[in-house]
């Protein structure tokens, strides 16, 4: 019994990491934890406000998700926490359900339930080994989604940066409200100075002194300025004294009808969080020699969200920037995150008023600079230069987020990624092959217009599995080739890319072969994979397609045709 218990405990990543911990790592982890805390506090508060929640919930969330991931997360140094990419998704899910008076307690309860639902999705997906789901968002659509998200965050934070607020439900409404506020004289000069100065300071320090904690420096200077110049009396909003202590274990209470409305947001947040985590884990694992365990990462994210949701927190994801800070500071294990969590708790217990004079525009500056890091304009330009269809997918995802909202945007991004795969299967690349002097094998006549072909023989390549979606397109192209002048007697399908033939395609093949046979044209297959050949035999297609017309290689098929007909290769450029 004890042996089984010990075995199960060793399977927990945190226990396994503790048992292999090296004493020489301790100093580095402690220092990295202190450095990380200077970033965790202002970002946690800023991203909580981005999600439409009180700033203190960002600190609660940060503490619990760090501890939860330290126990169950497989990565040694990955840092989880409130995230700029999830903030708008949380707000879009929670705020429409909050009463008209904007009750903060109800908003927190809804966000906590959302975190629990994300946890359930992640843990169930981990058990079902669904880590591959992160691949549902392609790189072009992710670039478009992130660019749209960056613009949404930027426009939404501009009024706060300048000291006023806008009541709007979409990006265009927020932008119109911002312009009206600026033209109407709603800008608070002191707030604008703090906010714009904060952005400039962060960007300059990040560019010139990347090892300096730019966000911390800006926050400290903003607090000093608010205290010295009484910015609160000049119309600048301040964070105020945070609640003292730490929240008790809380099971959030919401209406049953809210759960179905939260589910869509939970699925979208889980998908983005998983894609973020897998990409960040892969990047940092490559540097440290670790392997990425997608299903364990899902479990780790799930436990982190579970812990946050039970202590008045909201959904979390990994952070590339915070992980990079921890890595540069010398982090060697998840003890770095534990130290950061402990320091935040000490701050809440011993010095809850530490950030009371932190200006709200300074938090907006933190969020805006984070949104700029989400955008990838060069990536979109690269797509334009390299592949226009991927660029159009990127633009569609961008417009989906910008015009329809964050949650519809993620749905559009996933749908576009899936549809793009289907499009490539529906309209795959196909071509005729010919022989090129001084090159082995047979090659695309589009790339080599001078390639020669045997009279009476067409070699045709179809670069996709033969399925219900493309079977008729395949049939129509074969018919067109069969009617060319001079008419071929063999059409050899170079079937190496053909990884499957479904039942619909099998029926189309049978009808096609019978039509070709009536016109004395033979349909021949070369390089067909064994599993696909067995399917064709199971479909009984060899009743119409001659079993002798299946060849292991294109070369073998060509030689068989030459022996049968005596055909000779013409000079280069001769189409036969």
């Amino acid at each position: 019994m004890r042996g089984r218990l010990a075995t199960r405990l060793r399977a927990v990543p945190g226990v396994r990491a503790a048992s292999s911990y090296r004493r020489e790592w301790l100093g580095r982890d402690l220092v990295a934890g202190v450095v990380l805390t200077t970033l965790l506090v202002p970002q946690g508060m800023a991203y909580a406000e981005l999600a439409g929640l009180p700033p203190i919930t960002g600190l609660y969330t940060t503490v619990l998700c760090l501890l939860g991931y330290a126990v169950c997360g497989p990565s040694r140094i990955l840092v989880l926490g409130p995230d700029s990419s999830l903030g708008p998704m949380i707000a879009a899910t929670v705020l429409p359900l909050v009463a008209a008076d904007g009750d903060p307690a109800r908003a927190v309860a809804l966000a906590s339930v959302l975190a629990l639902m994300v946890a359930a999705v992640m843990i169930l997906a981990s058990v079902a080994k669904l880590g591959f789901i992160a691949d549902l968002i392609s790189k072009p659509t992710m670039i478009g989604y992130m660019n749209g998200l960056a613009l949404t965050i930027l426009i939404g934070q501009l009024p706060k940066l300048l000291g006023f607020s806008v009541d709007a439900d979409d990006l265009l409404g927020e932008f119109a409200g911002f312009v009206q506020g600026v033209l109407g004289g709603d800008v608070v000069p002191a707030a604008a100075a703090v906010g714009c100065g904060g952005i400039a300071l962060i960007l300059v320090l990040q560019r010139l002194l990347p090892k300096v904690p730019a966000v911390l420096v800006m926050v400290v200077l903003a607090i000093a300025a608010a205290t010295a110049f009484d910015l609160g009396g000049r119309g600048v909003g301040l964070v105020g004294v945070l609640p003292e202590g730490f929240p008790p274990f809380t099971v959030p209470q919401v209406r049953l009808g809210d759960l179905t409305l939260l589910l869509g947001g939970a699925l979208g947040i889980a998908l983005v969080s998983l894609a973020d985590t897998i990409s960040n884990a892969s990047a940092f694992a490559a540097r440290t020699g670790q392997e990425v365990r997608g299903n364990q990462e899902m479990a780790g994210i799930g436990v982190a969200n579970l812990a946050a949701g039970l202590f008045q927190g909201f959904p979390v994801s990994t952070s590339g920037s915070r992980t990079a800070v921890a890595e540069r500071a010398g982090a060697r294990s998840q003890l770095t995150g534990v130290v950061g969590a402990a320091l935040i708790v000490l701050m809440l217990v011993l010095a809850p008023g530490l950030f009371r004079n932190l200006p709200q525009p300074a938090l907006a500056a933190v969020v805006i600079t984070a949104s700029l890091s989400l955008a990838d304009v060069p990536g979109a330009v690269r797509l334009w230069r390299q592949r226009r269809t991927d660029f159009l997918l990127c633009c569609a995802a961008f417009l989906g987020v910008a015009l329809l909202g964050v949650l519809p945007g993620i749905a559009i991004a996933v749908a576009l990624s899936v549809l793009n795969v289907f499009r490539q299967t529906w309209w795959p690349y196909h071509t005729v092959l010919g022989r090129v002097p001084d090159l082995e094998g047979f090659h695309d006549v589009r790339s080599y217009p001078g390639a020669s072909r045997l009279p009476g023989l067409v070699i045709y390549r179809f670069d996709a599995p033969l399925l219900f979606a493309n079977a008729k397109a395949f049939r129509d192209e074969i018919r067109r080739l069969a009617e060319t002048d001079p008419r071929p007697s063999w059409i050899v399908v170079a079937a190496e890319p053909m990884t499957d033939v479904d039942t619909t395609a099998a029926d189309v093949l049978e009808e096609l072969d019978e039509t070709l046979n009536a016109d004395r044209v033979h349909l021949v297959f070369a390089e067909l994979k064994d599993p696909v050949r067995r399917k064709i035999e199971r479909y009984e297609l060899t009743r119409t397609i001659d079993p002798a017309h299946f060849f292991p290689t294109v070369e073998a098929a060509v030689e068989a045709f030459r022996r049968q007909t005596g055909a000779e290769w013409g000079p280069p450029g001769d189409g036969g």
Side-chain angles (χ1 to χ4, degrees), residues 268-312:
I269 289 169
L271 181 58
V272 171
S273 179
L274 177 59
D276 243 1
T277 299
I278 296 299
S279 61
N280 283 319
S282 299
F284 287 98
R287 301 182 194 179
T288 60
Q290 284 188 281
E291 292 183 4
V292 177
R293 302 179 180 89
N295 293 310
Q296 285 192 14
E297 288 292 358
M298 281 193 292
I301 303 169
V303 172
N305 278 282
L306 177 64
L310 293 174
F311 288 86
Q312 299 182 27

Side-chain angles (χ1 to χ4, degrees), residues 21-249:
Y21 192 82
R22 300 178 186 177
R23 184 177 299 177
E24 60 266 25
W25 292 351
L26 181 60
R28 293 184 177 184
D29 280 339
L30 292 176
V31 171
V34 173
V35 172
L36 183 62
T37 306
T38 64
L39 188 63
L40 292 174
V41 173
Q43 283 195 345
M45 297 169 68
Y47 297 161
E49 292 215 331
L50 178 62
L53 302 168
I56 186 64
T57 59
L59 301 184
Y60 297 160
T61 301
T62 300
V63 170
L64 270 302
C65 76
L66 287 173
L67 296 177
Y69 190 81
V71 173
C72 294
S75 173
R76 283 208 302 262
I77 64 169
L78 213 58
V79 177
L80 268 68
D83 188 67
S84 56
S85 63
L86 297 189
M89 300 181 73
I90 297 168
T93 305
V94 169
L95 296 187
L97 302 179
V98 179
D101 59 0
D103 180 12
R106 175 162 163 74
V108 171
L110 288 167
S112 296
V113 171
L114 189 62
L116 296 178
M117 295 177 76
V118 171
V121 170
M122 287 292 191
I123 292 172
L124 289 174
S126 174
V127 172
K129 302 187 183 304
L130 299 179
F132 65 89
I133 289 178
D135 298 330
L136 283 179
I137 307 182
S138 66
K139 185 66 178 291
T141 50
M142 180 58 87
I143 290 175
Y145 172 77
M146 286 300 180
N147 286 339
L149 192 61
L151 181 64
T152 300
I153 294 172
L154 176 64
I155 298 299
Q157 291 294 306
L158 284 177
K160 182 179 172 182
L161 188 80
L162 302 184
F164 64 96
S165 60
V166 169
D167 185 15
D169 296 326
D170 55 43
L171 182 67
L172 295 179
E174 288 182 340
F175 182 71
F178 168 71
V179 173
Q180 290 173 2
V182 172
L183 297 179
D186 294 338
V187 176
V188 178
V194 171
C196 296
I199 291 176
L201 180 62
I202 291 174
L203 294 179
V204 169
L205 288 178
Q206 287 177 341
R207 182 68 180 270
L208 300 180
L209 300 170
K211 293 187 177 181
V212 172
V215 172
L216 175 64
V217 171
M218 187 276 292
V219 165
V220 170
L221 291 178
I223 292 174
T227 305
F229 300 107
D230 186 27
L231 295 184
R234 297 173 182 269
V236 179
L238 303 177
V239 169
V241 178
L242 299 175
E244 185 176 350
F246 205 73
F249 176 87

Side-chain angles (χ1 to χ4, degrees), residues 196-469:
C196 296
I199 291 176
L201 180 62
I202 291 174
L203 294 179
V204 169
L205 288 178
Q206 287 177 341
R207 182 68 180 270
L208 300 180
L209 300 170
K211 293 187 177 181
V212 172
V215 172
L216 175 64
V217 171
M218 187 276 292
V219 165
V220 170
L221 291 178
I223 292 174
T227 305
F229 300 107
D230 186 27
L231 295 184
R234 297 173 182 269
V236 179
L238 303 177
V239 169
V241 178
L242 299 175
E244 185 176 350
F246 205 73
F249 176 87
T250 305
V251 178
Q253 303 293 321
V254 297
R255 292 190 291 264
L256 187 62
D258 293 333
L259 297 180
T260 55
L261 300 175
L262 291 172
L263 180 59
L267 293 173
I269 289 169
L271 181 58
V272 171
S273 179
L274 177 59
D276 243 1
T277 299
I278 296 299
S279 61
N280 283 319
S282 299
F284 287 98
R287 301 182 194 179
T288 60
Q290 284 188 281
E291 292 183 4
V292 177
R293 302 179 180 89
N295 293 310
Q296 285 192 14
E297 288 292 358
M298 281 193 292
I301 303 169
V303 172
N305 278 282
L306 177 64
L310 293 174
F311 288 86
Q312 299 182 27
F314 51 85
V316 297
S317 180
T318 56
S319 168
S321 62
R322 276 164 280 181
T323 304
V325 167
E327 184 187 48
R328 286 198 301 266
R332 290 294 181 271
S333 75
Q334 285 296 327
L335 181 60
T336 296
V338 173
V339 171
L343 291 175
I344 294 174
V345 171
L346 288 175
M347 184 198 76
L348 292 174
V349 172
L350 302 178
L354 187 62
F355 289 90
R356 65 180 179 274
N357 286 336
L358 176 60
Q360 294 283 359
L363 291 180
V366 174
V367 174
I368 287 175
T369 53
S371 74
L372 296 178
S373 68
L374 291 177
D376 186 6
V377 176
V381 173
R382 186 175 64 252
L383 291 175
W384 168 259
R385 292 173 178 169
Q386 295 177 347
R387 188 178 173 93
R388 298 293 170 84
T389 54
D390 283 353
F391 176 77
L392 292 177
L393 288 173
C394 174
C395 290
F398 171 82
L399 293 174
V401 176
L403 300 180
L404 300 179
V406 177
L407 291 178
I410 187 62
I412 288 172
V414 172
L416 287 175
S417 296
V418 174
L419 286 174
N420 188 40
V421 174
F422 186 73
R423 179 192 65 82
Q424 293 171 356
T425 302
W426 192 358
W427 296 312
Y429 184 78
H430 56 95
T431 188
V432 172
L433 306 181
R435 192 173 72 165
V436 179
D438 301 323
L439 284 180
E440 293 185 3
F442 299 90
H443 302 276
D444 190 341
V445 297
R446 297 180 188 177
S447 300
Y448 298 93
S452 59
R453 287 175 267 174
L454 278 174
L457 175 71
V458 173
I459 306 172
Y460 175 67
R461 193 182 72 213
F462 189 78
D463 291 352
L466 197 57
L467 307 172
F468 68 95

